Amino acid sequence: MTRKVKSVRVPLELETLNLSKLIREFENYLRDLESAALLRNDGNPEAAEALIKARQIDLGKRIAKMIWEAKAEYAKIS
């Protein structure tokens, strides 16, 4: 799987956002979803739900931090 982003339209304040890093975060999240499915299939639905909830919160925080950093960088440039 290639990680190169060819063309994306983003607002000016997000042009410094590292899109490759953002895609890696989503790839990690998808891997965790697969792990949760395996846990559920092995008969441990509580652990699967806990993994999904924890990862969703973590993913949201990481993406919010990346967006905040990009906006802060844009404020320095403008």
Side-chain angles (χ1 to χ4, degrees):
M1 178 187 328
T2 182
R3 295 183 180 188
K4 186 175 181 181
V5 176
K6 294 181 180 178
S7 176
V8 176
R9 294 177 195 215
V10 295
L12 287 177
E13 61 269 9
L14 296 181
E15 67 182 5
T16 61
L17 184 66
N18 185 341
L19 294 177
S20 295
K21 185 176 177 182
L22 182 66
I23 290 170
R24 271 193 305 274
E25 288 297 330
F26 286 120
E27 287 174 346
N28 292 337
Y29 179 68
L30 289 174
R31 194 171 328 127
D32 288 339
L33 288 178
E34 291 172 357
S35 297
L38 290 174
L39 283 170
R40 180 166 290 146
N41 290 340
D42 288 341
N44 199 345
E46 297 85 16
E49 286 300 316
L51 175 61
I52 290 172
K53 279 186 176 181
R55 189 59 179 116
Q56 283 176 341
I57 292 169
D58 185 50
L59 179 68
K61 287 179 182 178
R62 288 175 185 250
I63 292 173
K65 183 179 178 189
M66 283 190 270
I67 291 171
W68 180 80
E69 288 172 346
K71 286 185 173 185
E73 186 66 30
Y74 178 77
K76 289 179 187 176
I77 295 171
S78 334

